[in-house]
Amino acid sequence: MGIEAQGLGSGLDIAGLVSQLMSAERAPHDQRLLRRETELTADISALGIFKSDLQGLQASLSSLTSAATFNSLVATSSDSNLVTATAGVGAPIGNLDISVTSLAKRQSLAVRHEFSTTTESLGTGTLTFTLGSTSYTAHATDSTQDAYDSFVAQAGKSSVSVVIDSTNNTLQGVRDAINNANVGATATIVNNGSGFQLTLTSSDPGAKNSLKIEVDDSGDGDDGDANGLSRLAFNGDGSVGASRVQQTISASDAAFSITGLALTSSSNEVNDAIDGLSLSLSGTTSKAEQITIADNSAAISSAVKTFVDGYNTYVTSLNEMTAYNATTDVAGALVGDFTAASISRQVEEILINKAPGVTSELASLSQIGVSTTSTGALALDETKLKNLLATNFDDVRAIISDTASSSGNGFEVMTLPTNRSVASYSVDISSLATSGSKTGSGLSTPITIGPGTDAFILKVDGTTSNTITLTNGQYADLAALATELQTKINADASLRTSGKSAAVSVQGSAIKIESGSVGSASTIELNNASGHTTVGTLGFDEAASTNATDLVGSIDGISGTAVGNVLTAASGSRAAGFSVTAFSTQGGNAHVSNGIASRLDAFLTDILGINSSLDSRISTLQEGTADIVKERAALEARLETIEARYKRQFTKLDTY
């Protein structure tokens, strides 16, 4: 450091003297900077911990502020081994009695002929599989005397043909060809101990999913004998009914009742009996079993407990950092810190005050079992909360989360305003949305549908169907023709995959086809299949419908934007972001209130955001540590100058 020199004449220890003087010069500055650096580092660390604690507190609110926590319903069964249920939006809260008489079953068939090996040839030709309802009478003692009485093809289901040739005509080959063709059944080879038999089981249960198997036997040219591919025939045509293939299990629908009303289903998974409720039938019942549909109280209680635990973790840490020990005269790192004090005070005020906008007698956390202890922590009375969820669910929800209550039953609130301030909004509905539809011209009955007038293509809401083919025949009245149209339309795979449907009705002497959706995007369009004149025969033209409309209404006195029956408040208005689904033109008022958990979550989002007061404070402290680095550099430069001056002075003094 600097210039090293010893006394030239007197032997004076100039280096030692300068070193002592520099130590005295440096000490107060180093102590001051170190003290400031220690204080800043401690403050930054403490505020960093405080910020992390606030982030943990916000994380504990995630389930409590989620709409799904309150919107979800829970369905429980008195015997889940026999029947279970899943509740969704629209499911009725309460109890339902369910009795199951029989389950839906898949049809099983067994080819009577026993094959010596799995590579034995079955012959060649074409197998045609059709799904439908089979009438089959099993003989009491001799299965060879079973009777195949009749078969009715399932509407909307096309037959599937499988070609059997020299590449796949073994027992194994036929099995694989059937399974690869998606015929509506699964083929299996069974070793019965004396030979191999081919069995088939319907892919889906239900009486309409039975199989009809027709054979075009190209091997011997005889479709009705007991040789070649004809051995697989099962079509009710005289000798090739039950004599070639035995029905070992008959297909059947599930038979059950809900609150005494007898119902059937082709599947054991019942999704359309009650809106919002899915039933899974697993066994028959000896008595009525009960399905209980309730609010998601257990999950809500759990979410409240998670928040209480999260808050107490935050408070414990805060108390440690803001405590002062008079005995040891040691203060916590955040004692006297204005930023931490201001934020913690606002958090506390949000929790102890009533939920803004809530008008019921229940309006605060303390009233639903969440109270403050002497240490500032929260205590949860789970029994009290559970009881209030059972008796005052909507009030508890309003205290916890942002909600909107309506004055009538004409609409349901879908989304809350972007501005969550407490407010009331008027909802006025002038007219509901309508569906796209086409009504044909007047027709005279009977109407004959045949080749050239039996096939058409339908577009529903822009989705194009496959070619729809009507059953040929003479329809004595329009009602029968309308039923055939609706059955075939709604069985179309393309429309079903896209969730599209249509309703067909009789309007005087004409037929009306109406989309299952509502709103301006709802359309119906019929087009002839190539070479057909079906559309004209049914009284229609090929133009697309243009008669559908969206809902017309206003929110807060300003015309809103409508899609179907969903009305959204105008952008830029006081109610922007607010939307409802209307069920009638009743209208009414919606009152928005602020839940305590939602308010706390919004406050924490601001506090933990970029450029918040907390981040600004931490940034200022970090700038202070950077300034200390600069001060140290400047101090070193100044001390070097002083040291050099001392050495020059002592050297000069020693030379005299």
Side-chain angles (χ1 to χ4, degrees), residues 47 50-55 57 311 314 318 322 334 337-351 600 603-609 612-618:
L47 287 174
F50 180 60
K51 181 178 180 179
S52 178
D53 291 340
L54 290 173
Q55 291 170 332
L57 174 60
Y311 181 80
Y314 150 79
L318 179 65
T322 56
L334 292 181
D337 187 278
F338 174 79
T339 301
S342 175
I343 293 172
S344 61
R345 183 174 63 254
Q346 292 179 78
V347 169
E348 186 178 344
E349 287 176 352
I350 290 173
L351 296 181
L600 180 57
F603 171 74
L604 292 173
T605 297
D606 290 339
I607 287 298
L608 295 170
S612 66
S613 60
L614 181 57
D615 261 13
S616 296
R617 177 72 196 293
I618 293 174

Side-chain angles (χ1 to χ4, degrees), residues 354-394:
K354 291 183 177 181
V358 174
T359 57
S360 66
E361 291 184 7
L362 293 177
S364 66
L365 288 178
S366 61
Q367 290 176 296
I368 61 173
V370 182
S371 57
T372 305
T373 68
S374 59
T375 63
L378 295 178
L380 174 61
D381 185 337
E382 295 187 55
T383 300
K384 184 175 183 179
L385 176 61
K386 179 180 178 181
N387 291 338
L388 287 171
L389 283 169
T391 59
N392 300 74
F393 183 87
D394 290 338

Side-chain angles (χ1 to χ4, degrees), residues 306-326:
T306 297
F307 160 65
V308 169
D309 291 342
Y311 181 80
N312 289 343
T313 298
Y314 150 79
V315 163
T316 299
S317 178
L318 179 65
N319 287 344
E320 291 175 356
M321 290 189 292
T322 56
Y324 170 71
N325 189 321

Side-chain angles (χ1 to χ4, degrees), residues 152-174:
V152 178
Q154 184 181 150
K157 289 285 188 179
S158 300
S159 299
V160 178
S161 295
V162 181
V163 176
I164 306 299
D165 55 26
S166 59
T167 65
N168 62 358
N169 65 342
T170 65
L171 184 59
Q172 289 179 342
V174 170

Side-chain angles (χ1 to χ4, degrees), residues 157-311:
K157 289 285 188 179
S158 300
S159 299
V160 178
S161 295
V162 181
V163 176
I164 306 299
D165 55 26
S166 59
T167 65
N168 62 358
N169 65 342
T170 65
L171 184 59
Q172 289 179 342
V174 170
R175 176 198 62 190
D176 295 342
I178 292 173
N179 289 338
N180 291 333
N182 192 24
V183 302
T186 300
T188 306
I189 298 174
V190 177
N191 184 347
N192 64 14
S194 60
F196 297 92
Q197 286 183 268
L198 185 69
T199 65
L200 296 101
T201 301
S202 299
S203 301
D204 298 310
K208 292 183 178 180
N209 289 313
S210 295
L211 287 169
K212 173 183 178 182
I213 307 173
E214 296 173 289
V215 179
D216 180 5
D217 193 337
S218 61
D220 61 11
D222 188 345
D223 300 339
D225 64 9
N227 300 311
L229 205 62
S230 300
R231 289 171 289 184
L232 273 63
F234 185 69
N235 55 39
D237 183 16
S239 62
V240 296
S243 62
R244 302 289 174 262
V245 178
Q246 178 190 2
Q247 176 176 276
T248 55
I249 300 176
S250 62
S252 62
D253 291 337
F256 62 101
S257 66
I258 300 178
T259 60
L261 178 64
L263 301 168
T264 60
S265 170
S266 62
S267 171
N268 292 317
E269 304 299 321
V270 184
N271 301 313
D272 54 2
I274 295 178
D275 285 345
L277 188 69
S278 297
L279 297 173
S280 180
L281 311 180
S282 304
T284 57
T285 60
S286 58
K287 60 180 179 60
E289 301 297 339
Q290 192 172 81
I291 298 294
T292 300
I293 306 166
D295 294 312
N296 198 12
S297 298
I300 296 170
S301 295
S302 177
V304 173
K305 187 177 187 306
T306 297
F307 160 65
V308 169
D309 291 342
Y311 181 80

